[in-house]
Amino acid sequence: MPEIKPTQTRIINTFVDKMMVDKDLGAMSTEEREALRKNLRQKAEEQIEQAMLAALPDKKLLELEQLVDAGASDDVLDDFFADCGVDFTKAAEQAMVEFRKAFLNSAVGEA
């Protein structure tokens, strides 16, 4: 997968911060909040990457696998994703909606 860009990182950080506020986590310590924030950010990125892979048709998935196996650079992978004809924005948005719903319905932060 291509590297997460700084703009994408800011979007994910803002998304995670908003989820945590909306969840009203109660009496968590600063350390617990930071650990949760880091964990949520990592899991959100993983969910988005999985959604991107799931959006690829089988032929493109095989092509991606070949590129990765050949040690393709991030620039080559970025070009692959840009040119493969899949709306990754929609896939990422849907993954984020599902991730948010699961988090808000979870018992995290509840006494």
Side-chain angles (χ1 to χ4, degrees):
M1 297 298 298
E3 180 180 327
I4 302 286
K5 306 276 188 271
T7 302
Q8 294 165 324
T9 298
R10 281 194 301 274
I11 291 168
I12 292 170
N13 286 341
T14 301
F15 170 73
V16 166
D17 290 344
K18 175 83 169 101
M19 272 191 339
M20 290 176 68
V21 168
D22 291 347
K23 179 71 173 171
D24 190 18
L25 296 169
M28 287 183 121
S29 70
T30 301
E31 294 81 19
E32 290 171 324
R33 283 182 187 273
E34 282 307 309
L36 178 60
R37 183 177 189 260
K38 181 179 178 180
N39 186 300
L40 288 171
R41 187 176 60 240
Q42 180 182 2
K43 288 187 182 296
E45 288 173 1
E46 290 170 2
Q47 292 282 330
I48 292 166
E49 288 176 359
Q50 290 299 317
M52 290 174 67
L53 292 174
L56 287 172
D58 289 342
K59 181 179 177 184
K60 288 293 185 180
L61 200 53
L62 289 173
E63 188 179 331
L64 174 62
E65 186 177 326
Q66 291 171 345
L67 288 172
V68 171
D69 288 346
S73 69
D74 282 345
D75 288 338
V76 169
L77 293 175
D78 285 343
D79 289 344
F80 168 83
F81 282 105
D83 297 336
C84 71
V86 175
D87 184 358
F88 291 115
T89 300
K90 184 174 179 125
E93 287 172 355
Q94 184 61 37
M96 291 171 79
V97 166
E98 291 172 13
F99 184 78
R100 175 183 167 76
K101 182 178 176 182
F103 175 69
L104 293 178
N105 290 326
S106 74
V108 173
E110 296 175 7

